[in-house]
């Protein structure tokens, strides 16, 4: 398994040809990072695309509100 950091592993739907919540998006990322679904965590703010999509792909998920976080800084 390769070591990675969140900053270096950003995947954009325009580059990979799939978009969330399609399972193909999540499977592409797993394969690219050489991880299993139960080793992946998606932190997102969109209930359908991030949270439901991630759960459907058997990823761990965490729902956050980026706007609220930014307003509190």
């Amino acid at each position: 398994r390769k070591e990675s950091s969140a900053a270096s592993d950003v995947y954009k739907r325009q580059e990979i040809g799939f978009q969330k919540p399609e399972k193909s998006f999540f499977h592409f990322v797993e394969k690219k990072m050489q991880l299993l679904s139960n080793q992946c965590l998606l932190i997102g703010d969109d209930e359908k695309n991030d949270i439901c999509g991630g759960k459907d792909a058997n990823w761990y998920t965490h729902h956050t509100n980026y706007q609220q976080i930014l307003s509190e800084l």
Side-chain angles (χ1 to χ4, degrees):
R1 179 185 105 111
K2 79 173 191 135
E3 292 298 318
S4 64
S5 69
S8 66
D9 293 319
V10 175
Y11 297 96
K12 299 176 183 173
R13 65 179 169 85
Q14 297 91 337
E15 295 170 0
I16 65 173
F18 306 107
Q19 61 186 16
K20 298 178 286 182
E22 293 176 54
K23 284 186 182 180
S24 299
F25 176 91
F26 297 94
H27 295 310
F28 175 91
V29 174
E30 291 169 20
K31 188 172 184 175
K32 195 78 166 166
M33 295 186 68
Q34 301 174 6
L35 296 171
L36 300 173
S37 60
N38 66 356
Q39 297 172 302
C40 299
L41 167 68
L42 182 121
I43 300 172
D45 63 346
D46 187 284
E47 184 69 31
K48 178 185 174 194
N49 293 328
D50 298 332
I51 306 309
C52 292
K55 286 181 179 179
D56 285 346
N58 297 315
W59 284 30
Y60 293 100
T61 61
H62 177 78
H63 188 259
T64 192
N65 184 330
Y66 296 118
Q67 294 302 319
Q68 181 180 351
I69 292 169
L70 291 173
S71 70
E72 293 173 359
L73 295 178

